[in-house]
């Protein structure tokens, strides 16, 4: 039966199903209610108010993503016989879902090139091997990669270790997702994160959802959108695909929404993939023509406003329509709604950032907000919808190639550490360096670096060229089967709610939560902080200013964070006061921006022409399914898109006819980068004609390594493909 709304009774039944997998509903409920931050999206849940509670105190707030992650952590252990019976060649054949469901990693494992199997090793053997290799390698011949699943404490400690060791090749996973948001926002409003809090979203009268699919990827955001709609607010969705949950969603915790459903989008606009920038400029032009600009705000609080307005005036509707794929009348109708709004919030996800011009997209959104004074007032502002639960915190505590000047100076002056000043490489640059042998060691704190990369064939080659690759994980992923180095070591670590000490995480609303941790579920895995400090102690035991033994205590690390990271002062006492806090200096309720002159900055862009317009071409977007989180695939089906498998390409029925295809016909999908064979072509009329959809990370083989020059984020959207039969 075709799914026609998101959430609803299916979500409730799914809860029962996951409860059975976890050993009982009550067991799962207790795990979900523990005082720990949610393990999945950065919307911000849990912490000291207990699980399934948002920052406004609303309960119950739960979604499939959080249950999927929790149940994965409640799996039994991978037993020793598995490594004896399963060669790496068999691991390579497993899907992301199959690898995830093998169970929890509980002992260090090692693979050496030329052998067929992983072998279990002791922690001592692992530490000695890693330390010996690091001591024998030049620091800038290493790179350090961080996932958003880890705590602020682990992230800060590992980046400190890397820098004291001598390199700035320090990267977090946002370089492959939301880095364009950080760069775009920093360049326009002076801060790289959301300018609002959750209550501002709840009080807005107009919300833009641009290039995102919250019903699948951030389901608890739907409760806030339900509240906006009930107050008579408008929700404008901009997306090349009509997503079921953005049309109608049944919030399971609300009886009326559950039974009757909530109509979400008041207006749904489908530009071509890559047409967002032209559309955003078109809305700004229509706002100006309708007299909706806030001239006083532009004059008093924005830089270069006159030049920006002249650029809008010079832009023709013909160019806007041809490059966006959206009619002038539809653009003007959006501008009319926006022009009537008193409090508007602009939100976006990777449909905006995963482009060759991702930073330009974000700058255009910021300009559209500023032209009506929708930044620097309550109930209005900019809201990048972050992915992983602590990806923003990892960035805040210093996990970037270049440390913020304030952190760099404070570390040296307050703690006397010696830090490198060489320019660090971004994630893609590190991969390129590994491919040519300039980088010899990789060290990953969580995540799946192989699965996150564009051009999977290249990623496999580059990572296989490493002399040593170290990965800290809880479960298996494709990075443990592909791209294996000459020597690969996987270290099993505890999940967030198993940590022996409390840790902290930061939500996308700049709110720092405290996770209590809890009892370990299985013997073997160790705390991330303990693992990192133990290795650092072996590599640089006499590091100036750092006692690695005391750094095994999360409270010591928080003292350092509070002393050097701007806005984080309250973290030093959080384990005693239990007082979670909003980070100072990031939420704007006055139009005073942390830029050089205190004014917002308006940028002018050349509008890119649409790609993939030839008769034999389509524009491709790689997407996540409703049954996955980032590279982790929990379910093969994509419920809301009514798909039962992942080896498919979805295109409009008119495109199916154009290519002479029938339903489920096997085709080869090819780009200038790579090709995927035996893909099932399916008609899908919810996508704009001329565009196509395939699943990430499987389709990464088609994605080139070209990155937005301003953010170094690869263009996972707008890939030009051909269909071959």
């Amino acid at each position: 039966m075709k799914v026609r709304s998101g959430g609803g009774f299916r979500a409730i039944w799914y809860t029962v199903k996951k409860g059975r997998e976890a050993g009982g509903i009550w067991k799962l409920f207790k795990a979900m209610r523990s005082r720990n931050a949610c393990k999945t999206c950065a919307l911000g849940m849990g912490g000291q108010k207990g699980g399934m509670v948002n920052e406004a105190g609303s309960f119950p707030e739960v979604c499939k993503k959080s249950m999927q992650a929790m149940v994965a952590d409640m799996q039994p252990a991978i037993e020793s016989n598995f490594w004896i019976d399963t060669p790496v060649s068999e691991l390579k054949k497993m899907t992301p879902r199959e690898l995830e469901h093998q169970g929890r990693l509980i002992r260090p494992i090692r693979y050496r090139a030329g052998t067929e199997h992983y072998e279990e090793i002791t922690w001592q053997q692992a530490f000695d091997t890693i330390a010996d290799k690091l001591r024998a390698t030049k620091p800038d011949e290493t790179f350090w990669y961080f996932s958003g699943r880890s705590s602020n404490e682990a992230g800060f400690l590992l980046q400190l270790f890397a820098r004291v060791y001598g390199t700035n090749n320090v990267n977090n996973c946002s370089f492959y997702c939301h880095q364009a948001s950080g760069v775009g926002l920093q360049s326009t409003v002076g801060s790289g994160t959301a300018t609002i809090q959750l209550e501002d979203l709840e009080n807005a009268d107009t919300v833009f959802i641009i290039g995102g699919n919250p019903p699948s990827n951030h389901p608890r955001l739907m409760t806030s959108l339900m509240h906006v709609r009930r107050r008579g607010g408008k929700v404008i969705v901009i997306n090349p695909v009509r997503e079921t949950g953005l049309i109608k969603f049944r919030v399971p915790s609300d009886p009326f929404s559950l039974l009757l459903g909530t109509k979400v989008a008041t207006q749904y606009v489908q530009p071509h993939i890559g047409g967002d920038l032209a559309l955003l400029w078109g809305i700004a032009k229509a706002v100006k023509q309708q007299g909706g600009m806030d001239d006083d705000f532009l004059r008093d609080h924005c830089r270069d406003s006159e030049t920006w307005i002249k650029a809008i005036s010079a832009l023709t509707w013909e160019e806007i329509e041809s490059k966006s794929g959206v009619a002038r009348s539809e653009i003007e109708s959006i501008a009319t709604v926006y022009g009537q709004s008193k409090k508007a919030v602009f939100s976006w996800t990777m449909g905006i950032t995963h482009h060759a011009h991702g930073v330009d997209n974000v700058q255009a959104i910021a300009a559209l907000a500023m032209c009506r004074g929708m930044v620097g007032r309550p109930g209005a502002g900019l809201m990048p919808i972050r992915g992983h639960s602590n990806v923003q915190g990892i960035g805040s505590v210093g996990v970037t190639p270049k440390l913020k000047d304030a952190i760099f100076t404070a570390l040296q002056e307050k703690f006397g550490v010696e830090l490198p000043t060489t320019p660090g490489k971004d994630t893609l640059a590190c991969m390129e360096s590994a491919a040519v042998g300039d980088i010899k060691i990789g060290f990953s704190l969580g995540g799946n670096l192989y699965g996150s990369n564009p051009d999977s064939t290249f990623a496999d080659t580059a990572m296989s060229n490493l002399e040593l690759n170290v990965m800290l994980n809880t479960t298996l992923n494709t990075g443990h089967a592909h791209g294996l180095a000459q020597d690969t070591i996987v270290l099993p670590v505890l999940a967030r709610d198993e940590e022996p000490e409390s840790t902290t995480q930061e939500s996308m609303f700049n709110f720092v939560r405290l996770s209590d941790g809890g009892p370990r579920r299985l013997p073997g895995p160790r705390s991330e902080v303990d693992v990192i400090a133990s290795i650092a102690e072996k590599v640089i035991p006499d590091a100036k200013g750092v006692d690695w033994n005391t750094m095994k205590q999360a409270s010591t690390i928080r003292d350092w964070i509070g002393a050097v990271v701007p806005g984080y002062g309250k973290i030093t006492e959080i384990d005693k006061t239990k007082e979670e806090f909003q980070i100072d200096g990031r939420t704007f309720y006055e139009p005073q921006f942390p830029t050089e002159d205190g004014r917002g900055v308006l940028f002018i862009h050349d509008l890119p022409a649409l790609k993939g317009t030839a008769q034999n071409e389509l524009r491709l977007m790689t997407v996540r399914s409703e049954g996955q989180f980032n590279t982790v695939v929990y379910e093969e089906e994509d419920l809301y898109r009514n798909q039962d498998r992942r080896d498919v390409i979805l295109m409009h029925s008119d495109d199916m006819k154009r290519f002479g295809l029938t339903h489920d016909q096997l085709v080869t999908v090819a780009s200038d980068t790579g090709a995927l064979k035996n893909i099932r072509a399916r008609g899908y009329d919810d996508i704009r004609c001329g565009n196509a959809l395939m699943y990430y990370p499987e389709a990464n083989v088609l994605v080139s390594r070209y990155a937005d020059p301003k953010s170094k984020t690869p263009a996972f959207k707008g890939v030009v493909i051909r269909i071959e039969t």
Side-chain angles (χ1 to χ4, degrees):
M1 183 175 67
K2 185 175 181 180
V3 176
R4 300 186 183 279
S5 62
F9 288 101
R10 289 183 186 85
I12 295 173
W13 171 245
Y14 190 82
T15 302
V16 175
K17 174 186 172 183
K18 300 308 285 186
R20 290 172 177 168
E21 292 179 18
I25 291 289
W26 179 242
K27 184 178 180 181
L28 177 59
F29 178 80
K30 288 194 297 182
M32 296 288 293
R33 280 291 287 149
S34 65
R35 289 196 293 270
N36 289 283
C38 176
K39 299 174 182 179
T40 49
C41 83
L43 189 61
M45 304 293 295
Q48 292 305 291
K49 293 180 180 179
M52 300 189 288
V53 179
N54 69 13
E55 290 169 18
S58 175
F59 172 84
E61 293 287 333
V62 65
C63 76
K64 291 174 69 171
K65 293 288 187 287
S66 56
M67 287 188 290
Q68 288 164 342
M70 182 64 75
V71 173
D73 286 339
M74 297 171 76
Q75 292 182 94
I78 299 176
E79 297 296 343
S80 300
N81 284 341
F82 176 83
W83 308 112
I84 297 171
D85 298 336
T86 312
V88 168
S89 58
E90 289 300 314
L91 295 179
K92 290 179 184 291
K93 296 177 184 178
M94 293 184 185
T95 65
R97 181 186 184 279
E98 289 170 337
L99 288 163
E100 171 71 21
H101 284 78
Q102 292 303 319
R104 284 287 297 273
L105 293 161
I106 63 168
R107 301 179 187 90
I109 55 174
R110 183 181 193 181
Y111 170 81
R112 282 178 273 198
T115 63
E116 296 183 358
H117 295 259
Y118 274 99
E119 61 177 328
E120 291 184 344
I121 59 176
T122 66
W123 280 100
Q124 190 65 45
Q125 288 173 319
F127 287 165
D128 288 345
T129 300
I130 296 166
D132 289 346
K133 187 64 177 177
L134 283 170
R135 286 196 299 266
T137 304
K138 295 178 182 178
D140 277 338
E141 293 179 342
T142 67
F143 74 81
W144 309 70
Y145 176 80
F146 300 62
S147 160
R149 70 164 292 278
S150 299
S151 64
N152 289 325
E153 291 78 5
F156 179 86
L157 181 62
L158 185 58
Q159 68 84 28
L160 180 66
F161 171 24
R163 296 187 204 280
V164 173
Y165 170 63
T167 186
N168 284 322
N169 294 338
V170 172
N171 294 274
N172 70 63
C173 57
S174 72
F175 271 94
Y176 282 168
C177 56
H178 258 294
Q179 184 70 6
S181 293
V183 174
L185 289 172
Q186 191 73 46
S187 66
T188 53
V189 298
S191 176
T193 63
T195 67
I196 66 169
Q197 300 179 29
L198 177 60
E199 64 181 354
D200 296 305
L201 174 64
E202 297 270 350
N203 291 323
D205 60 34
T206 302
V207 178
F208 285 82
I209 305 289
I210 311 174
N213 184 21
S216 286
N217 300 315
H218 304 79
R220 284 168 297 200
L221 186 62
M222 304 309 294
T223 302
S224 295
L225 296 180
M226 176 188 72
H227 293 158
V228 170
R229 294 290 286 115
R230 282 185 176 170
R231 289 187 292 98
K234 305 292 179 62
V235 175
I236 299 173
V237 177
I238 299 173
N239 194 321
V241 182
R242 287 181 63 83
E243 301 287 8
T244 299
L246 284 173
I247 297 170
K248 189 174 186 179
F249 196 89
R250 300 176 185 271
V251 178
S253 60
D254 185 274
F256 290 102
S257 180
L258 175 63
L259 294 173
L260 302 176
T262 297
K263 292 182 179 179
V264 182
T266 52
Q267 190 165 355
Y268 208 119
V269 184
Q270 292 181 269
H272 285 304
I273 297 169
D276 305 277
L277 189 59
L279 173 59
L280 292 164
W281 274 80
I283 297 171
K285 183 177 182 70
V287 168
K288 179 182 181 299
Q289 290 182 342
Q290 294 173 5
M293 294 282 189
D294 188 330
D295 295 328
D296 291 340
F297 187 94
L298 287 169
R299 181 188 64 248
D300 297 338
H301 302 294
C302 296
R303 194 189 309 169
D304 301 325
S305 60
E306 291 184 4
T307 304
W308 182 76
I309 290 173
K310 287 180 181 178
I312 288 175
S313 301
L315 197 60
T316 68
W317 280 109
E318 181 182 9
E319 181 179 8
I320 291 169
E321 289 182 309
S322 66
K323 292 183 175 180
S324 68
V326 182
R328 174 179 178 176
S329 59
E330 194 167 14
I331 295 173
E332 289 176 335
S333 69
I334 298 172
T336 299
V337 173
Y338 180 38
Q340 295 170 348
S341 173
K342 304 298 182 185
K343 294 181 291 185
V345 167
F346 289 83
S347 69
W348 66 91
T349 64
M350 289 177 288
I352 282 294
T353 61
H354 269 174
H355 288 277
H357 51 275
V359 170
D360 293 353
N361 283 341
V362 175
Q363 290 173 340
I365 291 172
L368 189 55
M370 287 189 284
C371 80
R372 294 207 64 247
M374 292 296 177
V375 185
R377 68 164 77 168
L382 301 164
M383 188 182 86
I385 304 176
R386 299 281 184 177
H388 217 313
S389 56
N390 197 41
V391 63
Q392 189 163 298
I394 289 291
S396 292
V397 299
V399 183
T400 54
K402 185 185 184 304
L403 272 176
K404 289 184 177 180
D405 292 340
I407 301 177
F408 182 91
T409 301
L411 278 172
Q412 294 197 128
E413 293 182 352
K414 296 183 179 182
F415 295 100
V417 298
E418 295 180 350
L419 301 173
T421 56
T422 52
K425 297 178 179 180
D426 62 81
T427 310
L428 191 55
C430 287
M431 294 293 293
E432 301 278 0
S433 295
V436 297
D438 291 341
I439 280 183
K440 296 178 171 60
I441 298 177
F443 195 112
S444 294
L445 179 62
N448 177 2
L449 180 55
Y450 163 79
S452 300
N453 263 277
D455 193 350
S456 303
T457 304
F458 171 82
D460 184 272
T461 300
M463 299 189 75
S464 296
N465 203 37
L466 293 170
E467 294 178 6
L468 173 66
N469 191 16
V470 180
M471 294 174 274
L472 279 61
N473 292 101
T474 56
T475 56
L476 286 175
N477 60 53
T478 55
H480 302 129
H482 303 271
L484 299 183
Q486 296 173 36
D487 196 351
T488 299
I489 295 177
V490 184
L491 303 177
V493 291
L494 296 168
R496 180 175 300 164
D497 58 340
E498 299 171 333
E499 288 280 356
E501 296 182 89
S502 57
T503 61
T504 58
Q505 294 77 34
E506 178 188 327
S507 82
M508 71 184 202
F509 292 109
N510 306 300
F511 189 77
V512 176
R513 292 190 177 281
L514 178 68
S515 291
D516 284 353
R520 63 171 61 243
R521 296 185 175 92
L522 296 165
R526 295 174 64 164
S527 163
E528 291 177 332
V529 164
D530 177 62
V531 170
I532 295 165
S534 296
I535 296 173
E537 195 171 27
K538 284 181 170 291
V539 178
I540 36 177
D542 301 320
K544 184 179 178 181
V546 188
D547 180 347
W548 298 113
N549 190 50
T550 62
M551 283 295 197
K552 293 179 181 178
Q553 297 178 324
S555 58
T556 302
I557 302 171
R558 284 194 289 272
D559 288 341
W560 281 57
I561 294 173
V564 304
V565 178
Y568 259 81
K570 294 178 182 178
I571 202 173
T572 58
E573 299 293 323
I574 196 172
D575 56 335
K576 303 178 185 67
T577 64
K578 307 295 182 181
E579 182 182 344
E580 299 171 318
F581 61 92
Q582 200 78 32
I583 300 170
D584 294 334
R586 296 188 184 176
T587 303
F588 302 107
Y589 289 146
E590 297 291 337
Q592 183 68 28
F593 303 108
T595 55
E596 291 181 0
D597 57 3
R599 297 157 70 87
V601 183
L602 300 167
F603 285 85
I604 296 172
H605 310 109
D606 293 326
L607 304 186
L610 286 177
K611 298 186 294 184
T613 57
Q615 182 62 27
N616 65 335
E617 294 177 337
L618 289 168
R619 289 170 293 277
L620 174 71
M621 59 193 295
T622 63
V623 301
R624 278 76 166 168
S625 72
E626 193 264 346
Q628 87 180 91
F629 184 71
N630 200 14
T631 59
V632 181
V633 178
Y634 295 109
E635 312 288 348
E636 293 291 339
E637 70 173 349
D638 189 359
L639 185 65
Y640 295 166
R641 297 189 183 108
N642 295 282
Q643 300 300 315
D644 59 349
R645 55 195 304 148
R646 297 175 61 83
D647 55 346
V648 298
I649 178 169
L650 306 184
M651 65 183 83
H652 196 276
S653 59
D654 289 347
D655 289 319
M656 290 282 286
K657 294 175 184 176
R658 172 160 64 101
F659 287 104
L661 302 175
T662 58
H663 177 73
D664 270 356
Q665 181 174 342
L666 295 181
V667 300
T668 295
V669 183
S671 70
D672 290 342
T673 300
L676 282 173
K677 297 181 179 180
N678 296 320
I679 299 299
R680 294 172 183 265
R682 290 183 171 178
Y684 189 71
D685 286 351
D686 283 332
I687 193 167
R688 178 75 184 271
C689 189
N691 305 275
L693 175 159
M694 291 181 73
Y695 291 113
Y696 165 101
E698 293 91 336
N700 287 1
V701 69
L702 302 170
V703 180
S704 80
R705 302 194 304 278
Y706 181 82
D708 174 9
K710 297 177 183 176
S711 66
K712 309 303 181 183
T713 300
F716 288 92
K717 309 286 192 290
V719 179
V720 178
I721 58 168
R722 301 175 299 278
I723 307 298
E724 301 171 358
T725 56

